Amino acid sequence: MGSNAPTGLIHYLLAAIPARIVTGGAAVATILLARSSNMDGTTAGLMAACLTAPHVLGPLYGRWLDNTSDPRFIIAGACFLFAVSFQLAIVGFEAQTLLPTMLALLICGTCSSFMMGGLSTQVVKLVGSELTEKRKAQSWDTFTYGLGLTLGPMLTALLTDVYSVPVSVRILMSSAVVAGLLTFFIPLKMHKKADDAQQPASLSQVVDILRRSGALKRTLLMTSSAAFSIAALPVLSVYLSESWMRSQQSGAYLVTLYGVGCLCGSVFLMMRPMRQDALVLLRNVGALLIVVLSLVIVSPSYTAGLFAYWLCGVVNAVFFAVTLAARSDYSPPQGAAQIYMWVAAAKISFASLGAFGAGLLVDVAIKLPLFTSCCVLLMSLLLCFALPRFPAQSRVTKRS
């Protein structure tokens, strides 16, 4: 690792942590604002969906990042625009004006794509080309997501105990400005390669890369199916808590333990970076994800459920780091950001679909969404690794 690489990674973490705390707490903050404005559940869900819907355009955002000579300006600008737009959304909630509020949240959703996946496209540029160095950097990035998923909702809850909901959300979402300012301190492409000077791939070229690369198709499918499956956990937390003879509020602790598990998984990866081939890891950790989801299904008590949720967080953190590694390893430099954002867009879309499906199926049987999640993951594993669908020779885009 170069002498400046640790410093560059520290600067990255200082920018990424407040960015992920803001995006991690945005959904909870939006629901609280909707409830405090006496909006019904359908409207509240629609408002929250505005934060995720723009992620579908991730490939377009990736194109912008690939085309610019300094992606820090785009990412920092997204942080600043997020902060301003969320303040406008709060005003819209207070005035109970539906369309302006939705527009402001859609802008926030667009900006959060850059604060999440867009920012992550820069982390491997801060370290050398050795596999261990890249995996360790990606593990640190995974840690920032786990921290955001834990601290975002937690800080929102703590602030609302002291201040009103609008004031609390204003304070938390203003942290995006800090993230934007710190983004400028991230070193710019510390480790350039000769092929970085080539022109970024066009949209049609990126589609062709994805079509021809069996490794990237596996990555896309496994990432999507895992996102669909894991999305059931927060939706079911309240229902499972009640089935284990606990209060509705106890469901929040299940989600909290899931977040703590994500942090534990990230810490484990930082101590022991993964060295296996990314596809092998996708297969093995994907299978393990089925096992831990099954543990939630068979959990006989609330205490066992807490442990199972924690395990799901640990394994999902490892799986997320594996997907980061796969996106990096198998993407050509000229389209790396676009492919990264393609996978991120699919992940968000299928997570939204999984949450919606869990909400529909839970009325039939409480644990039916988890059975469905396990079946989806199992079918994806079979399609990717047991059936001859994606030819092995297509892994030509892997980089050292």
Side-chain angles (χ1 to χ4, degrees), residues 32-380:
L32 287 174
L33 286 167
R35 292 290 297 274
S36 66
S37 300
N38 298 316
M39 294 180 176
D40 58 33
T42 302
T43 305
L46 181 63
M47 293 295 182
C50 290
L51 293 172
T52 57
H55 286 251
V56 176
L57 299 177
L60 175 62
Y61 312 146
R63 176 71 175 166
W64 295 346
L65 291 173
D66 274 337
N67 275 329
T68 183
S69 59
D70 191 345
R72 296 176 300 180
F73 282 97
I74 294 179
I75 296 169
C79 293
F80 299 145
L81 184 57
F82 181 98
V84 173
S85 298
F86 218 104
Q87 303 302 319
L88 294 175
I90 295 170
V91 174
F93 277 113
E94 291 176 324
Q96 296 189 354
T97 53
L98 188 62
L99 290 180
T101 306
M102 289 178 61
L103 178 60
L105 290 175
L106 285 170
I107 295 174
C108 290
T110 302
C111 295
S112 67
S113 297
F114 293 98
M115 297 164 67
M116 295 170 68
L119 194 55
S120 291
T121 61
Q122 307 304 305
V123 69
V124 292
K125 300 176 183 178
L126 304 176
V127 296
S129 58
E130 292 183 11
L131 181 63
T132 300
E133 293 180 4
K134 293 198 296 182
R135 296 286 171 85
K136 187 174 289 186
Q138 290 160 344
S139 298
W140 275 106
D141 197 31
T142 303
F143 176 78
T144 68
Y145 280 98
L147 201 62
L149 287 171
T150 305
L151 290 183
M154 184 184 298
L155 290 175
T156 303
L158 291 175
L159 287 169
T160 53
D161 286 338
V162 181
Y163 307 103
S164 66
V165 171
V167 172
S168 301
V169 175
R170 280 194 175 95
I171 294 172
L172 185 63
M173 295 302 136
S174 297
S175 303
V177 174
V178 177
L181 292 173
L182 292 174
T183 298
F184 289 112
F185 291 92
I186 300 174
L188 178 63
K189 291 189 177 181
M190 292 174 57
H191 292 272
K192 289 190 177 183
K193 298 180 181 180
D195 53 6
D196 283 342
Q198 298 180 22
Q199 286 295 319
S202 64
L203 180 60
S204 61
Q205 289 173 324
V206 170
V207 172
D208 189 57
I209 291 169
L210 286 168
R211 182 181 61 81
R212 290 187 293 106
S213 173
L216 288 175
K217 284 190 284 188
R218 288 182 177 98
T219 301
L220 185 64
L221 181 55
M222 287 300 299
T223 303
S224 301
S225 61
F228 177 93
S229 303
I230 288 294
L233 291 178
V235 175
L236 296 180
S237 60
V238 172
Y239 297 91
L240 289 171
S241 179
E242 290 178 326
S243 73
W244 289 322
M245 309 304 293
R246 293 297 182 100
S247 64
Q248 290 183 344
Q249 290 80 0
S250 296
Y253 292 106
L254 291 171
V255 181
T256 300
L257 259 292
Y258 171 79
V260 173
C262 289
L263 288 177
C264 292
S266 302
V267 171
F268 171 77
L269 290 172
M270 286 183 281
M271 294 188 297
R272 298 192 63 179
M274 300 170 294
R275 293 178 175 85
Q276 288 179 287
D277 181 84
L279 284 182
V280 174
L281 290 167
L282 271 178
R283 181 196 64 199
N284 295 346
V285 183
L288 189 57
L289 199 53
I290 297 178
V291 174
V292 293
L293 284 172
S294 300
L295 287 179
V296 179
I297 296 175
V298 301
S299 294
S301 66
Y302 181 74
T303 302
L306 286 171
F307 178 70
Y309 262 71
W310 176 81
L311 272 180
C312 286
V314 172
V315 176
N316 191 51
V318 177
F319 187 85
F320 177 65
V322 171
T323 67
L324 293 181
R327 296 182 223 183
S328 172
D329 289 354
Y330 301 113
S331 299
Q334 296 75 33
Q338 294 183 71
I339 290 172
Y340 191 105
M341 298 295 271
W342 269 89
V343 179
K347 177 182 176 180
I348 294 293
S349 301
F350 276 85
S352 300
L353 184 61
F356 178 72
L360 290 178
L361 294 175
V362 74
D363 289 333
V364 179
I366 291 177
K367 295 184 178 180
L368 180 59
L370 290 173
F371 279 111
T372 305
S373 295
C374 291
C375 290
V376 168
L377 262 176
L378 180 59
M379 287 189 294
S380 297

